[in-house]
C-alpha cells in the first residue's frame, strides 16, 4: 500500500538493452501515469557493460527508485516448443538444462540456464529484471496475423533468426538459427584444407600475386549458380535464406511436428535485409513475403510494461 502511494510521486524508467554482434543498443523510456514523458536511445561499440554504457544508464535510473532493466534473450540455446504440457516437452527436445515458461497456455519458450546466470553476473551492477524471449517479441509483434493466419514468422537480427510456424494461433514449430554457425563451419573447412594440403603462406616462396589476381579477374564474368553458403565471404542474406530453407525442410520431414505446407512468411526485420533476401524466399521457396521493420528495444519495452501490469 505504501509502495503504491510512493509510486504516485515518481516516474517509471524502462531501460531496454539489446546486445548485438559487436555493439549494444540501449533504449530508455520515462513514463508517468499519463504516458510517455521522454525517451532516449544510444548505441555503444561494445558487448559488455562498459563504463560509458553504465554511466548512460545510471544517469536516468538515479532519478527514480522505480526503474526496470530488460534484455532480449540472445542465448543460442533457446527456442519454443508446441506444448505447455510438462510431460510432453521432452518429446520435442531436452529442456533439463533450460529455464522454460508457458506462453498463453498454448506453447512454451525456453533458454539455457547457464546463459541466464552468465547474463545476471555480467550485468550485476545494474541488475536484470526481465529477459524476454524473441518468440514472445515475435508473437506480440505479429499478434494481428498469428491468431488468424497459417504462416512462417521470422525475427531477423544480425546474429540470429528466430523462426516459427503458427497456424491460427497454434505454434507448430520453432527454431533459433545462429548465423555464426556458418562462419564456424567455414573456419573448419579452411583449417582442414590447411592440414590436408599443407598450404604454406611463407612470403619467401615464389607466389606470383599478379598471376593470381589475373586468374580471379578471368573468373569475374562467370555467373556463380552453385554458390556455397559456407563460404566466408558469401552474402549474409543468402546465408539467412539457406538456414531458413534447411529449418523448414526439417519441419516438413520430422514426424514429431504437425507439419503443413507453408505459403506465406511474415518477417520482423531488425537489420534492414536486402531485396535479394526477399527474392530468395519468393523464387526459391515459392513464399509470399511480407516485411515489417521492427525496433526490438521498443517492443521489449512494451512487453516490460505489460509484465508489470499483469
Amino acid at each position: 500500500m505504501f509502495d503504491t502511494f510512493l509510486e504516485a510521486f515518481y516516474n517509471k524508467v524502462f531501460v531496454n538493452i539489446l546486445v548485438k554482434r559487436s555493439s549494444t543498443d540501449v533504449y530508455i523510456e520515462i513514463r508517468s501515469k499519463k504516458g510517455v514523458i521522454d525517451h532516449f536511445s544510444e548505441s555503444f561499440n561494445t558487448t559488455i557493460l562498459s563504463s560509458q554504457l553504465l554511466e548512460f544508464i545510471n544517469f536516468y535510473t538515479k532519478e527514480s527508485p522505480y526503474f526496470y532493466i530488460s534484455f532480449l534473450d540472445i542465448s543460442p540455446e533457446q527456442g519454443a516448443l508446441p506444448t505447455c504440457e510438462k510431460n510432453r516437452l521432452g518429446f520435442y527436445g531436452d529442456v533439463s538444462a533450460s529455464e522454460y515458461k508457458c506462453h498463453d497456455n498454448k506453447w512454451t519458450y525456453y533458454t539455457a540456464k547457464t546463459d541466464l546466470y552468465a547474463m545476471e553476473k555480467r550485468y550485476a551492477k545494474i541488475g536484470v529484471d526481465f529477459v524476454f524471449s524473441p518468440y514472445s517479441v515475435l508473437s506480440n509483434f505479429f499478434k494481428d496475423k498469428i491468431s488468424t493466419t497459417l504462416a512462417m514468422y521470422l525475427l531477423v537480427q544480425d546474429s540470429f533468426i528466430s523462426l516459427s510456424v503458427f497456424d491460427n494461433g497454434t505454434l507448430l514449430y520453432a527454431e533459433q538459427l545462429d548465423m555464426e554457425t556458418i562462419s564456424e563451419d567455414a573456419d573448419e573447412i579452411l583449417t582442414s584444407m590447411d592440414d590436408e594440403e599443407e598450404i604454406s603462406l611463407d612470403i619467401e616462396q615464389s607466389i606470383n600475386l599478379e598471376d593470381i589476381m589475373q586468374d580471379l579477374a578471368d573468373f569475374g564474368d562467370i555467373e556463380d549458380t552453385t554458390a556455397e553458403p559456407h563460404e566466408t565471404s558469401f552474402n549474409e542474406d543468402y546465408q539467412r535464406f539457406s538456414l531458413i530453407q534447411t529449418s523448414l525442410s526439417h519441419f516438413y520431414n520430422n514426424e514429431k511436428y504437425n507439419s503443413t505446407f507453408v505459403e506465406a512468411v511474415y518477417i520482423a526485420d531488425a537489420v534492414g535485409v536486402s531485396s535479394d533476401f526477399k527474392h530468395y524466399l519468393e523464387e526459391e521457396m515459392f513464399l509470399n513475403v511480407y516485411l515489417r521493420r521492427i525496433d526490438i528495444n521498443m517492443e521489449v519495452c512494451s512487453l516490460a510494461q505489460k509484465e508489470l501490469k499483469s
Side-chain angles (χ1 to χ4, degrees):
M1 182 71 179
F2 185 66
D3 285 344
T4 305
F5 175 75
L6 282 179
E7 281 189 58
F9 295 94
Y10 290 98
N11 296 321
K12 287 186 172 68
V13 181
F14 292 89
V15 179
N16 312 278
I17 300 172
L18 176 62
V19 182
K20 301 163 73 174
R21 184 181 301 168
S22 58
S23 63
T24 300
D25 292 347
V26 182
Y27 171 73
I28 295 176
E29 191 169 286
I30 302 174
R31 299 181 67 93
S32 68
K33 285 188 174 182
K34 295 181 179 180
V36 179
I37 296 176
D38 214 339
H39 60 87
F40 309 90
S41 60
E42 193 68 59
S43 185
F44 298 85
N45 293 321
T46 180
T47 57
I48 63 173
L49 186 60
S50 65
S51 57
Q52 293 87 352
L53 179 53
L54 180 61
E55 182 181 359
F56 178 75
I57 292 171
N58 286 341
F59 179 81
Y60 296 101
T61 58
K62 69 183 180 182
E63 299 298 324
S64 173
Y66 297 98
F67 63 87
Y68 308 93
I69 311 293
S70 301
F71 289 83
L72 181 76
D73 189 4
I74 58 169
S75 168
E77 305 298 326
Q78 65 170 305
L81 304 173
T83 183
C84 277
E85 299 178 26
K86 289 186 177 181
N87 60 348
R88 290 278 295 166
L89 293 177
F91 176 74
Y92 296 102
D94 183 8
V95 293
S96 59
S98 302
E99 292 283 355
Y100 55 87
K101 186 175 181 180
C102 179
H103 183 91
D104 289 343
N105 296 316
K106 293 182 178 181
W107 50 274
T108 299
Y109 57 87
Y110 65 90
T111 191
K113 291 179 181 178
T114 53
D115 289 337
L116 281 179
Y117 299 154
M119 177 179 286
E120 289 177 351
K121 184 176 180 180
R122 188 178 302 120
Y123 295 97
K125 289 184 178 180
I126 57 173
V128 178
D129 294 301
F130 303 115
V131 180
F132 290 104
S133 166
Y135 296 97
S136 295
V137 172
L138 195 57
S139 63
N140 186 64
F141 187 69
F142 282 124
K143 58 181 178 289
D144 59 325
K145 298 298 181 184
I146 283 177
S147 61
T148 59
T149 308
L150 165 62
M152 177 166 59
Y153 297 86
L154 306 175
L155 175 60
V156 178
Q157 304 178 63
D158 60 350
S159 294
F160 299 100
I161 303 169
S162 303
L163 181 151
S164 60
V165 178
F166 282 90
D167 184 6
N168 295 314
T170 300
L171 177 68
L172 301 182
Y173 174 75
E175 185 178 5
Q176 186 77 349
L177 307 176
D178 187 352
M179 290 283 290
E180 297 302 313
T181 59
I182 293 178
S183 297
E184 291 170 3
D185 289 343
D187 290 341
E188 290 178 5
I189 292 171
L190 291 174
T191 300
S192 67
M193 288 173 60
D194 289 344
D195 293 340
E196 294 173 6
E197 300 177 17
E198 297 181 354
I199 298 174
S200 174
L201 297 181
D202 188 344
I203 60 173
E204 293 181 0
Q205 293 186 6
S206 57
I207 298 175
N208 191 323
L209 293 180
E210 291 184 0
D211 289 345
I212 293 174
M213 294 303 294
Q214 182 59 49
D215 289 342
L216 290 174
D218 292 341
F219 280 106
D221 295 331
I222 301 175
E223 183 179 357
D224 183 8
T225 59
T226 59
E228 289 292 333
H230 296 302
E231 293 175 12
T232 54
S233 62
F234 205 75
N235 178 282
E236 280 198 346
D237 281 333
Y238 190 88
Q239 293 179 11
R240 293 185 176 102
F241 158 72
S242 179
L243 286 170
I244 293 164
Q245 187 179 48
T246 301
S247 183
L248 197 61
S249 177
H250 179 67
F251 167 60
Y252 287 145
N253 295 301
N254 194 319
E255 294 180 355
K256 290 182 180 181
Y257 302 105
N258 183 23
S259 61
T260 185
F261 186 68
V262 175
E263 297 182 355
V265 56
Y266 290 85
I267 302 170
D269 177 17
V271 297
V273 296
S274 71
S275 58
D276 289 338
F277 179 61
K278 185 173 182 286
H279 175 78
Y280 296 142
L281 296 173
E282 290 174 335
E283 299 300 321
E284 302 294 333
M285 298 180 69
F286 309 106
L287 292 167
N288 297 316
V289 181
Y290 305 94
L291 267 164
R292 289 186 194 173
R293 288 304 304 267
I294 183 173
D295 186 316
I296 292 178
N297 266 339
M298 291 185 69
E299 293 299 318
V300 166
C301 186
S302 176
L303 290 175
Q305 292 163 31
K306 289 182 179 180
E307 193 72 20
L308 286 179
K309 293 177 182 177
S310 62

